[in-house]
Amino acid sequence: MCGIIGYVGHRRSQDVLFDGLRRLEYRGYDSAGLAWRENGRTECVRAIGNLDSLGSVLAAHSAATDASESAAVATATVSAGIAHTRWATHGGVTEDNAHPHTDWSGRVRIVLNGIIENYLELRDLLADEMIQCTSETDAEVVAQLISFYYDGDLSEAVRSTVSVLSGHFAFVAMCDDDPETLVGVRRECPLVVGVGDRELFIASSISAFVEHTPRVVELHDGEIAVMHPSGLTVFDDNGLPRDPQETRVERDEDRCEKEGFETFMLKEIHEQPSAIAETLRETRAALAPRENHQLGLAQLRNVRRIIIVGCGTSYHAALAGRMAIERWARVPVEVDVASEFRYRDPIIEPGTLVLGITQSGETADTLAAMRLARARGATVVALTNAPGSQATREADAVLFTRAGLEIGVAATKTFVAQVVLLYALALDLARAQDALALDRLAELQRDLDLLPAHVEHVTRSVDGQMRQLAERLVWSPFFLYLGRLSGLSVALEGALKLKEISYVPTDAYAAGEMKHGPIALLGRDTPVVCVATEEGVLPKLLSNLSEVRARGAQVLAVASEGCKQIAEHAEHVVYVPAADSLLQVVVAIVPLQLFAYHLARARGLNVDQPRNLAKTVTVE
């Protein structure tokens, strides 16, 4: 779940590595470490907390370096190193565990992203060889094994190590005995190589090095990349060399700038209209077939059942997508939490289409669910924001959201883009299955095209109102979110935003379920956030709110313009433009995003990098 980067070239590697970590910071982390070759030895720095802490340690190290040694570094022809931002999965958040992990002799160092599932077994095997691990991390076991297998060839030591590892991972190794070589390998976790002028980069994301080179080599599962000043060699999973094929990526100089906003999250909330518009523009090209696989209108006619899998925000988008597909296309849809899907022995029937939603394209649970579905004969489509990601390589076809890079860990613009993409797919299905009249299809398409303007209006008009409400309720100890039908997905996602960035206990329920248990949590002045955008069930929802207010709770409602009844049942009402109730998911979430944002800011919290969370979840 961390970010990793390695470098071999003519620049000062510690500078390149630290800058690369800055560009991977959005992935989430709790500590960081960096190792590089300097004056014939390997130097390491590490720190708990954010990269500012690591930068201070690195600056202190540089200041302490003897002037003559600095001169030697400046004239060195090759500099190599590795670095990572770490998110603890094994072992606590300590300075030792923030270190790029080293073996017992200190000659091998690695940075690792992912999980080694059999690390306890391997640690016992190392103990039988009189090699003791000094930390609780699975990464140290990998470093120890590489050193154990090392016999003058780092790539062979890595290959031998990989052969005994179980799990999903990517790592980069360096060795004191071969100081100008880095070796990287991947298994179900992202790892890409950047090819520059007399320099090579390797990282968990292209964003770590794209400012230095647009030339990229993507590694396939099981492949090993050997990086040396003389060039790059890639070996396939059988140990045979293959000719690395380069692709070029576009550089985006503004991708990591706040552009006048106080945080990335606020900037990304304001970018939602353009994210929706770009995604809708993408859908004009329909599905993007992968290789020889086709999935157009003719194939959509044969779809008899759909399963959507996703995690977190993507799961909430899937709930909204299910309602649109079933209501418009009349195709039955099942939504599963991806982490549960493959363990319940799901039934995959002929004519089943499986949609895997993952903003990063690397979510381990979603990828595993997609693999199982494909193995059982389903047509699998990936919905992702990341071209070239693992999901795009493993799916039969791909639907892209065009939200751009999202730095804030809490998803905002990627959520609305996912929902819009599912709506567009629902209309394609309705057209293919002749489920809607042409005039109704045209009406829905027009309403869909109006969403960017609606979101722009809501973002600008309710920001001040949500700030005031957040400041008034900032120290409330608990929130309950309620919704019905499409409003439930909004309530779930709104509650998730509040939990993620403000750390306030928050629950979300279908409003009709409130009296079956959650009502016991309500007390005088408990804030209850209600999404009232489904006109067909409004009387039922108002009845639920009457029960809430009878317990002394106060209600904050998000409702459609023209809904006068809601004012009699809520202390605070935020109105959004009236539209088809399903389409209102996209506009109704905006006030709740802003509410969560302002409440977290009022508490003095870091909304871009909330504690314990990672942007790209590559572990199960």
Side-chain angles (χ1 to χ4, degrees), residues 448-478:
L448 204 55
D449 290 337
L450 289 173
L451 284 178
H454 288 332
V455 171
E456 178 80 26
H457 169 73
V458 171
T459 304
R460 296 186 182 280
S461 63
V462 308
D463 184 71
Q465 185 180 1
M466 303 320 294
R467 182 194 298 268
Q468 291 176 2
L469 287 171
E471 291 173 350
R472 185 180 307 170
L473 301 172
V474 63
W475 299 116
S476 299
F478 169 74

Side-chain angles (χ1 to χ4, degrees), residues 109-171:
R109 289 166 177 81
I110 73 160
V111 288
L112 179 143
N113 177 23
I115 291 287
I116 308 301
E117 295 175 348
N118 61 336
Y119 86 104
L120 291 175
E121 173 189 339
L122 294 172
R123 192 169 64 181
D124 291 340
L125 292 176
L126 288 167
D128 291 342
E129 298 292 336
M130 307 303 291
I131 300 172
Q132 296 297 322
C133 293
T134 59
S135 75
E136 300 177 18
T137 67
D138 56 345
E140 185 189 359
V141 170
V142 177
Q144 299 277 21
L145 284 168
I146 294 172
S147 180
F148 176 73
Y149 287 120
Y150 183 78
D151 189 22
D153 188 328
L154 183 58
S155 65
E156 284 302 314
V158 168
R159 185 181 310 282
S160 297
T161 298
V162 170
S163 70
V164 299
L165 299 180
S166 297
H168 42 278
F169 53 81
F171 66 80

Side-chain angles (χ1 to χ4, degrees), residues 305 307 341 346-350 352 354 372-373 376-378:
R305 174 175 173 242
I307 300 173
F341 177 74
I347 298 170
I348 307 291
E349 302 165 321
T352 299
V354 173
L372 174 65
R376 295 194 176 185

Side-chain angles (χ1 to χ4, degrees), residues 277-307:
E278 288 301 316
T279 299
L280 287 172
R281 193 170 294 116
E282 171 75 14
T283 65
R284 298 294 188 268
L287 298 180
R290 179 178 180 268
E291 297 176 353
N292 295 323
H293 298 285
Q294 300 293 321
L295 190 62
L297 290 179
Q299 287 68 37
L300 292 179
R301 290 192 187 99
N302 297 322
V303 173
R304 294 294 171 262
R305 174 175 173 242
I306 293 175
I307 300 173

